[in-house]
Every structure is written in structure tokens, then in C-alpha cells.
Amino acid sequence: MQTVLAVDLGGTKILVGEVTRDGHILSTQKYPSNVDSMHAAAEKIKEAIRDFLSQQEVQGQLIGIGVCVVGRVETATGNWFEIRPGLSEPINLSHMLSKEFQLPCWVTNDVSGAALAEKVLGKGKETDNFVYINIGTGIAGRVVTDGQLIVGGNCNAGEVGHMVVDMNSEDRCLCGRQGCVELFASGLGMHNQVMKFAADYPDSLIDIKESERVPFYALIRAYEENDPLAKKVVSQALKAAAALVMNLVRVSDPEAVVFGGGVMNDGWFLDHLVTFLNEKTIRFVTKSFSVTELDPNAVALKGAAALVFIKQKGEQSYAGV
């Protein structure tokens, strides 16, 4: 049985696991991460892999290492360009890990990895044309057209959280623009909107703590109880997310739209979002709007493994991979 050593680098943790071709995770282990710098993060990845291999019994024949990281990655070369804008120390992470562990290694962005997992194990079984949108703390997405991921000239395609959905907004995004969808529809964006308008709603049911982020479930609960502040913030988020979806549908002509991320997990947000979609705009989305059926805690590992199996077979069906 061929398996892959898969790695998912997050802001606070590194998840390492052994994964089969069909996406079955044989074993996993968590480690603390360090994303203060790219070199620190790379060293933590190496430490995690070393410990995993010493602690866990490898159950299959490892054919390679697959890694999902945040930031810009050129999978074809293994170059990791930046963890985020302003924190750039380009390193060839693929070469570094291959040399250390004597296994071929491929690296991709975490959202690209999730889209790849969806392509191989999820909605991609039904269609080669879909949009994957992750709505969590932030918003990002990927477009798969004719079975190929749109990567872009700088490996930066799919940063859909910075699509403007309100031309009249005075809210400024970290990207420098005003009115980006991430400001309204992400988990952090909704929290910020609550804080922005809280003074206007002193009797709100939302439990606001200055040092803590308002959880999305608390917003939903207040929304269902017709709390005016929650209604304002969540309705604004739904309209913004719907605008994002329809813009992407018009641009990429998908047959399906798949959602991931913490805001989408229980389906509540999608059930309400679809009521804001224009029927004419979405008429060709014939294979549904759906929340991914893949485990959100494991999707990056599965995507990292799928990446290695594809590369080892020499398939060219997934651009940028």
C-alpha cells in the first residue's frame, strides 16, 4: 500500500499524518507551529516530521511528502515565496524537505490543497468545473476550470476575499481597498462589524467582550432571536457573500460551488445565503451549492497527499500542480 507523509502548517499548529491514495488517514499527530518567520516555520515542519517518524509506525510504503502552507507557493519549483504580504523570505521548501528526509516532496498553498482534495475526493468527482470558497476567519477561494486550478502568474489567483462588494463602503481592508467582502462576511469581519455598530445597539443580546472575538454561533443565536444588531451584521454578511458568489459564477461559469471554513460548517450560512442569489445569474450552476463533505480538520492533509499521488503519476490534469 502506497502512502504519503502529509503536512498541514497552520498559524498555531502543524498536523502531520500518513494518508492513503483514497484519502484515508492512517495516523496523525499535532505539533506547535511558529510562523514568526518562514525559516522558523520550515524548521518547525522538519522537527514535526522527524518526531512523527520516530513516534508513529509507518503503515504503508511512503512515496513522498506533501505539504500545505499558508501564503504564495510555486508548486512546480517548490518555492515558498511568502507567508503573507510583508513577510517574505523565499525558500525552496520542497528541496529542503526532500534533502532532509530522502523522499520527493511537493508543496502547495493550503486553500489550493483543500480545492485539490475537493477535486479528487469530493465534488470534483461530479464535475471538472467548480468554485471552492473558504469562509472562516478570512475568505479565500479557488477556481477549477476544465479540471485545472487557476493559479496565476504570481501563484496568487483565488484571493477572492479582496473582491469589492460595496463600492460605497468606507471600511478599508488590509489590502488597501475599501469594501472588500472579507470585511463583512468573514468570521473576523463580522466580529469587527459588531464592534463597529455596538454602541448604536446598547440592548443587543450579543455578549460582547472587548478582548474576545464574537463567535459566529453567538451571532446566529442572536439573529434567530431577531436581535437588531445581529440582524444588521449577519444580513450584511449574507448579501456580501452572495455578491461574491455571483461575481465568481459570472466570471468562471462553474457547474458547482463548494464551501469550506468554520463559518460554513453547519450549513446555516449557506441555507440563508442562497436566498440572496439571483436565479438568472446562477442558472448554469446545475450541480449544486454545497458545503464540502470533507472533514475540515483533515482536508489540507488529504489535499497534500493527493498532490503527491498526482505528481508521482505524472498527471497534468491539475494546473499549478
Side-chain angles (χ1 to χ4, degrees):
M1 173 181 61
Q2 292 185 330
T3 59
V4 167
L5 188 65
V7 180
D8 172 23
L9 171 71
T12 59
K13 67 175 177 60
I14 298 171
L15 187 63
V16 182
E18 185 182 4
V19 186
T20 67
R21 184 181 296 276
D22 63 1
H24 181 56
I25 298 175
L26 301 176
S27 60
T28 61
Q29 200 157 321
K30 289 182 183 179
Y31 302 89
S33 67
N34 180 348
V35 292
D36 292 338
S37 75
M38 295 172 68
H39 286 280
E43 287 302 317
K44 281 293 186 181
I45 290 173
K46 286 198 288 186
E47 289 176 17
I49 293 175
R50 283 193 212 102
D51 187 79
F52 181 87
L53 292 174
S54 69
Q55 297 291 329
Q56 299 287 335
E57 180 181 353
V58 175
Q59 300 178 47
Q61 176 195 352
L62 288 177
I63 64 169
I65 301 171
V67 185
C68 284
V69 298
V70 289
R72 287 196 302 120
V73 182
E74 187 176 55
T75 297
T77 63
N79 286 320
W80 186 18
F81 294 111
E82 61 182 17
I83 236 177
R84 61 178 181 270
L87 182 51
S88 179
E89 304 167 299
I91 55 176
N92 193 303
L93 186 58
S94 178
H95 175 73
M96 180 186 295
L97 296 178
S98 291
K99 183 178 179 181
E100 179 79 17
F101 299 103
Q102 297 300 299
L103 284 168
C105 175
W106 288 275
V107 184
T108 192
N109 167 271
D110 58 345
V111 181
S112 295
L116 176 54
E118 197 65 46
K119 174 72 181 77
V120 175
L121 303 169
K123 186 58 74 171
K125 291 181 177 181
E126 300 176 31
T127 177
D128 281 336
N129 297 278
F130 68 91
V131 172
Y132 177 85
I133 304 174
N134 186 286
I135 304 181
T137 299
I139 297 178
R142 294 295 183 265
V143 173
V144 176
T145 299
D146 297 333
Q148 296 187 340
L149 176 72
I150 305 303
V151 176
N154 295 285
C155 309
N156 202 36
E159 293 304 313
V160 299
H162 301 294
M163 183 177 289
V164 172
V165 294
D166 184 353
M167 296 292 290
N168 299 313
S169 174
E170 295 181 356
D171 290 4
R172 186 170 297 278
C173 182
L174 290 173
C175 75
R177 305 175 78 193
Q178 293 169 234
C180 294
V181 63
E182 193 167 276
L183 296 171
F184 309 112
S186 68
L188 179 58
M190 282 185 269
H191 164 79
N192 288 338
Q193 293 297 312
V194 168
M195 301 306 289
K196 175 182 175 181
F197 295 113
D200 298 332
Y201 298 90
D203 299 323
S204 173
L205 299 173
I206 302 172
D207 183 18
I208 299 173
K209 297 182 173 110
E210 287 293 334
S211 59
E212 296 179 18
R213 200 170 93 189
V214 176
F216 181 59
Y217 70 82
L219 273 178
I220 292 176
R221 187 166 59 238
Y223 180 97
E224 296 286 8
E225 295 181 23
N226 292 313
D227 178 75
L229 176 56
K231 282 283 195 181
K232 180 181 183 69
V233 170
V234 175
S235 295
Q236 180 177 253
L238 291 166
K239 290 175 184 176
L244 167 67
V245 170
M246 289 187 286
N247 288 343
L248 290 173
V249 166
R250 284 296 193 188
V251 168
S252 63
D253 189 25
E255 292 184 311
V257 178
V258 186
F259 296 89
V263 169
M264 308 303 299
N265 278 351
D266 67 357
W268 187 97
F269 197 82
L270 178 58
D271 289 343
H272 289 74
L273 184 155
V274 294
T275 65
F276 290 92
L277 300 178
N278 181 283
E279 291 185 6
K280 289 183 179 179
T281 296
I282 64 170
R283 68 188 187 280
F284 296 124
V285 184
T286 56
K287 297 187 184 297
S288 81
F289 296 85
S290 60
V291 175
T292 181
E293 295 182 358
L294 302 179
D295 179 358
N297 296 315
V299 67
L301 278 190
K302 295 184 179 189
L307 170 63
V308 175
F309 283 115
I310 285 175
K311 294 301 290 187
Q312 287 286 51
K313 287 179 64 176
E315 296 179 6
Q316 300 299 320
S317 61
Y318 202 73
V321 174

